Amino acid sequence: MRLLLKNGRVVDPVNRLDGERDVLVADGVVALVGHDLPADGARVVEVPRGTVVVPGLVDMHVHLREPGQEHKETIATGTAAAVAGGFTAVACMPNTVPVNDQASVTEFILQRAAEAGLARVYPIGAVSRGSKGEHLAEIGELKLAGCVAVSDDGHPVATALLMRRALEYAGMFDMPVIDHCEDPSLKGDGVAHEGFNAARLGLRGIPGQAEEIMVERDVTLAGMTGAAVHVAHLSSRGSLRAVRDGKARGIRVTCEVTPHHFTLTDDALEGYDTNVKMNPPLREALDVEALVEGLADGSVDVIATDHAPHHHDEKHVEFDHAPFGIVGLETAVSLTFDRLVHRGTVGIARMVELLSTNPARILRIPGGHLSPGAVADITILAPDLTVRVDAARLRSRSKNTPFGGWTLRGGVAATIVGGRMLYTNPDVPGIEALRA
Amino acid sequence: MTGQTGTGLRGRHLLGIADLAAEEITLVLDTAEAMKEVAARPIKKVPTLRGKTIVNLFYEPSTRTRTSFEIAEKRLSADTLNIAVSTSSVVKGETLADTVMNLEAMAPDMIVMRHASSGACHLLARICRARVINAGDGMHEHPTQALLDAFTIREHKGRLAGLKVAIVGDLLHSRVFRSNLLLLHKMGAEVWVSAPPTLQPPGLDRLGARVTSSVDEAVRDADVVMLLRIQLERMQGNFFPSLREYFTVFGMTPERFSLAKPDAILMHPGPMNRGVEISSDVADGSRSVILEQVANGVAVRMAVLYLLAGGSADEA
Ligand SMILES: [Zn+2]
């Protein structure tokens, strides 16, 4: 099976490429990228005018909820949301029921992902058994079963000693430890960023320092062990400073920021919409400005969604009682375009680094570039498409988004995984050519 | 009735002082004056809300506030229904939305709700057809308490603008404090607040407060001294070392109270912890208006119910 994408603007930072090219896909891999490639028996499609062909996007932080909470999401619905959001691959966190702390759970996830046949799924194993923070999980077996990283996400790696051991041990398998950085004692029973808005609205606060303290710990331990730590959903300016300092000292620390954290501030708490209750919480304007700066200057490595589906009934309660988290797979590209690219903060090449190259590199998974021989995971972006977010139409089984009703500039035209066209956006003019 | 020309309140609900304009606050206070006259009559009842159904939905026990609302409702001839939701039914999985869906079958005109979660009344207002009155939500607001406090201050001082009001106590966890700060600031009073730093929420200055951890500074030359209840369980949370120490550093003693203006009044939303935030000498002293606050609560709540039901000050 051969596919020739004609005359698209191709952006691939790894190959320092930004210009009109043809892309030839054969047998699930990229065969050639170049000018005026011959059809040579391939199916030839003209990519829609104004779209951009990039390496498939990789979301390294999602919650697929299966096994155990299929009323929120399944691997099938989650990967359908992924391809509709332009993601050809997702890495799923281990806080399922049961926790992905053993090879049998990893194998189950991979089995379900293969059955769904949509986005690639890369399981992340637990750092500790049951993510309880006491005993190391069987990290070597998790690796052999297909896990690409370890994390106790939902909770921080409980103690400095366990973090040290995890870094040393997972480091042996060249797997990063992804940490949900949060000091539980400072977080307490907080539900929102500790600041003026929480004070005014009477919500218990979570200070930015609850995150920053843990980031400092992790940077110090990564320096001590020489292993790689990745800070999940970094949200505060103090944490970013700690990551920058670590990088400057040559420590192997990387970090991700979510679209909601670079888009919204804690002003959104007004009205107590439980769809703005997330962990870490939405912070204040100074934090958002710092995150945007970090996304532009390279201190932030990755945009990840922390896609966290929750059923309507669970969110339709008092703010205190609602679970933390929002869905993100289907709004990430539009928010990145609207808030970063169209405001001139990042160019499309940097956007591709944040959403494809860097997450693939950090997880050491295929993709992230369009070099000959690479997997033919390709996303076609529509930078000028007007996208109106309609929560009811999300493919995710849950609809918990604070962006319902928003109009954003920029979206996804098509998603190709292993050379297979898995998603085309009917709103993009000229998309018919791709769909045939 | 004073020369108010307003016609009712702009919002459908009373969720917090934050949503009220200064003119609306004045309207409530003026209307409460007329309502207070009703209480002085031999037959303390007017037909204003006849045929209206009001549900008092209390997720947190509060005899004082619930009774005050109930008396106010009865004096306005409304049909009232008290529902105390025990935490057990919440534990059983019935959500606020479930409860409200059941209540809707009775088609209440108003729901007065007390709830332990901040913003719960906002959720209620989104899901029910009735008008919602917040009778205290978590650490957020307790608007009728602030209105009755303002009414009491105005009775004694004739005005709110330009007064120095000192508020002392657990600022962090107090909805009474938030509502009072918002109201007094809107009405032009100078609000000084004092508490240990552990019990101060961030951003108080942005809400218009003058913050000090010296009670003496807050109280000096004050026209009004308002104390807030110290919840005994806060000691376990390490917010302060001991009740004894709290009283030593922040307790309202006669000496401290004497720093205020000679005609200053002393307020407390109740229930008091004698010997913790206040000494009995001050609590029972001649300048304490604590019992008047309770009495005024009925008149102010009558005013709020009446205005939300669509009445104007002129017909009161
Ligand atoms: Zn997390």
Side-chain angles (χ1 to χ4, degrees):
Chain A
M1 212 179 81
R2 295 159 74 87
L3 177 68
L4 181 61
L5 299 171
K6 289 293 286 182
N7 300 324
R9 175 182 167 196
V10 179
V11 176
D12 175 7
V14 170
N15 290 298
R16 296 213 175 73
L17 181 60
D18 182 350
E20 198 156 298
R21 295 287 190 287
D22 296 344
V23 179
L24 179 67
V25 170
D27 304 322
V29 298
V30 176
L32 266 178
V33 178
H35 293 284
D36 300 320
L37 298 183
D40 218 2
R43 187 185 141 216
V44 179
V45 293
E46 196 79 20
V47 303
R49 189 176 291 275
T51 61
V52 183
V53 178
V54 304
L57 307 184
V58 178
D59 189 345
M60 67 179 290
H61 191 148
V62 306
H63 298 272
L64 293 179
R65 304 298 189 207
E66 187 179 1
Q69 294 181 300
E70 289 82 357
H71 65 293
K72 299 179 189 230
E73 191 82 284
T74 62
I75 289 167
T77 58
T79 51
V83 294
F87 292 99
T88 54
V90 297
C92 57
M93 284 296 174
N95 59 340
T96 46
V97 187
V99 169
N100 182 14
D101 62 356
Q102 49 189 302
S104 60
V105 180
T106 308
E107 285 155 7
F108 170 83
I109 291 167
L110 289 171
Q111 174 66 33
R112 278 297 152 94
E115 285 161 19
L118 295 164
R120 295 177 201 272
V121 173
Y122 294 101
I124 295 169
V127 168
S128 63
R129 281 183 231 162
S131 286
K132 288 195 167 76
E134 290 159 6
H135 310 284
L136 281 182
E138 291 167 337
I139 291 173
E141 295 212 1
L142 288 168
K143 163 86 179 185
L144 289 172
C147 286
V148 296
V150 289
S151 178
D152 276 348
D153 189 53
H155 310 281
V157 177
T159 64
L161 179 62
L162 183 69
M163 188 63 178
R164 174 193 176 171
R165 298 283 187 247
L167 285 164
E168 289 170 335
Y169 199 80
M172 168 171 71
F173 301 104
D174 207 20
M175 287 162 95
V177 179
I178 302 173
D179 200 13
H180 166 127
C181 292
E182 168 180 273
D183 180 284
S185 70
L186 264 187
K187 183 205 171 199
D189 51 6
V191 296
H193 172 66
E194 181 174 310
F196 170 71
N197 282 303
R200 187 169 58 91
L201 295 167
L203 297 171
R204 289 184 302 274
I206 307 172
Q209 286 77 5
E211 178 178 298
E212 182 181 337
I213 282 173
M214 208 58 114
V215 175
E216 298 267 16
R217 178 197 81 170
D218 287 355
V219 168
T220 301
L221 292 170
M224 175 188 182
T225 58
V229 70
H230 177 80
V231 179
H233 43 53
L234 181 143
S235 70
S236 92
R237 55 192 190 272
S239 303
L240 186 61
R241 189 177 53 226
V243 168
R244 273 201 188 109
D245 290 352
K247 287 185 172 185
R249 284 151 60 199
I251 292 170
R252 294 173 66 196
V253 56
T254 53
C255 70
E256 72 196 26
V257 165
T258 72
H260 46 278
H261 286 112
F262 68 64
T263 301
L264 297 169
T265 67
D266 62 345
D267 288 345
L269 292 166
E270 184 78 50
Y272 301 93
D273 178 3
T274 54
N275 285 325
V276 301
K277 181 174 175 182
M278 53 268 288
N279 187 16
L282 298 175
R283 305 257 181 223
E284 50 200 66
L286 284 173
D287 294 298
V288 175
E289 284 160 26
L291 299 184
V292 169
E293 199 183 290
L295 285 156
D297 72 14
S299 324
V300 175
D301 302 275
V302 169
I303 294 172
T305 66
D306 191 9
H307 178 79
H310 289 294
H311 191 266
H312 173 78
D313 288 349
E314 294 162 298
K315 279 285 196 183
H316 193 54
V317 295
E318 299 86 332
F319 198 87
D320 286 343
H321 299 169
F324 291 100
I326 62 169
V327 292
L329 283 167
E330 291 164 84
T331 47
V333 163
S334 294
L335 289 167
T336 303
F337 269 123
D338 196 90
R339 296 295 150 144
L340 300 179
V341 176
H342 291 310
R343 291 183 182 191
T345 308
V346 308
I348 290 186
R350 174 85 186 121
M351 175 179 174
V352 172
E353 283 177 4
L354 288 161
L355 280 161
S356 175
T357 314
N358 290 347
R361 179 174 51 76
I362 289 166
L363 296 178
R364 290 152 173 68
I365 59 177
H369 56 84
L370 297 174
S371 311
V375 290
D377 290 2
I378 297 168
T379 301
I380 304 179
L381 300 170
D384 294 310
L385 182 70
T386 299
V387 174
R388 201 180 138 78
V389 181
D390 180 354
R393 286 182 53 198
L394 295 178
R395 281 158 182 80
S396 173
R397 181 161 282 181
S398 295
K399 317 293 176 193
N400 48 314
T401 174
F403 301 112
W406 284 42
T407 299
L408 299 164
R409 182 174 158 216
V412 177
T415 308
I416 299 167
V417 179
R420 292 164 55 224
M421 186 78 58
L422 292 183
Y423 172 76
T424 52
N425 184 345
D427 297 338
V428 174
I431 200 74
E432 300 75 21
L434 289 179
R435 252 187 294 171
Chain B
M1 213 51 253
T2 54
Q4 252 296 339
T5 53
T7 53
L9 300 173
R10 282 180 307 212
R12 274 176 49 77
H13 311 287
L14 178 62
L15 304 184
I17 298 295
D19 307 327
L20 294 181
E23 310 83 70
E24 292 178 291
I25 292 167
T26 302
L27 172 65
V28 173
L29 301 185
D30 291 347
T31 309
E33 272 178 27
M35 294 299 176
K36 200 168 176 179
E37 286 164 25
V38 174
R41 295 179 195 167
I43 295 171
K44 303 177 175 54
K45 204 159 174 134
V46 290
T48 318
L49 296 186
R50 183 175 293 154
K52 304 271 186 196
T53 304
I54 304 182
V55 173
N56 299 314
L57 179 60
F58 275 60
Y59 277 82
E60 233 183 30
S62 166
T63 312
R64 191 181 291 242
T65 301
R66 191 187 50 71
T67 311
S68 180
F69 267 107
E70 202 180 338
I71 294 171
E73 290 154 8
K74 290 198 152 75
R75 286 193 179 159
L76 293 169
S77 304
D79 297 320
T80 69
L81 185 68
N82 292 317
I83 300 182
V85 186
S86 66
T87 42
S88 67
S89 72
V90 177
V91 172
K92 277 181 208 147
E94 179 164 289
T95 65
L96 174 58
D98 295 333
T99 305
V100 172
M101 287 311 152
N102 283 312
L103 282 180
E104 287 278 280
M106 296 175 225
D109 297 284
M110 295 195 202
I111 300 178
V112 176
M113 186 170 79
R114 160 70 63 101
H115 198 290
S117 291
S118 301
C121 55
H122 292 72
L123 175 63
L124 176 64
R126 276 198 295 271
I127 59 184
C128 74
R129 283 190 294 265
R131 288 162 190 263
V132 174
I133 298 177
N134 180 7
D137 64 326
M139 312 188 301
H140 178 225
E141 282 225 43
H142 192 354
T144 56
Q145 177 73 42
L147 288 162
L148 76 88
D149 288 340
F151 184 82
T152 309
I153 295 170
R154 209 175 69 161
E155 271 195 330
H156 281 268
K157 301 290 165 192
R159 64 195 164 99
L160 296 167
L163 297 178
K164 177 177 177 180
V165 181
I167 307 180
V168 182
D170 183 349
L171 309 173
L172 181 63
H173 300 96
S174 175
R175 53 193 168 213
V176 172
F177 163 63
R178 277 179 186 71
S179 287
N180 264 300
L181 174 57
L182 289 168
L183 187 153
L184 292 165
H185 184 63
K186 275 185 188 179
M187 301 309 284
E190 184 186 321
V191 185
W192 284 72
V193 302
S194 185
T198 49
L199 291 174
Q200 292 178 15
L204 278 176
D205 46 338
R206 282 177 67 189
L207 286 169
R210 311 273 303 261
V211 188
T212 171
S213 48
S214 157
V215 186
D216 291 0
E217 188 187 9
V219 171
R220 189 169 288 117
D221 298 320
D223 298 284
V224 178
V225 175
M226 189 182 286
L227 301 180
L228 301 170
R229 179 178 166 77
I230 292 296
Q231 282 172 337
L232 307 182
E233 65 266 27
R234 301 294 171 218
M235 229 176 66
Q236 263 65 54
N238 271 323
F239 289 100
F240 51 88
S242 71
L243 296 177
R244 198 174 71 161
E245 171 152 328
Y246 185 87
F247 185 69
T248 307
V249 184
F250 289 93
M252 196 53 54
T253 57
E255 300 74 52
R256 247 182 208 138
F257 189 49
S258 71
L259 296 172
K261 283 197 182 143
D263 63 345
I265 57 171
L266 187 283
M267 309 180 80
H268 193 299
M272 284 181 285
N273 293 302
R274 291 168 183 263
V276 179
E277 67 260 4
I278 191 165
S279 77
S280 282
D281 298 342
V282 178
D284 305 329
S286 61
R287 285 185 282 152
S288 162
V289 299
I290 295 170
L291 293 176
E292 287 174 44
Q293 288 173 267
V294 177
N296 288 337
V298 174
V300 165
R301 288 177 177 122
M302 286 171 76
V304 166
L305 291 163
Y306 168 73
L307 290 169
L308 276 185
S312 72
D314 299 317
E315 317 160 15

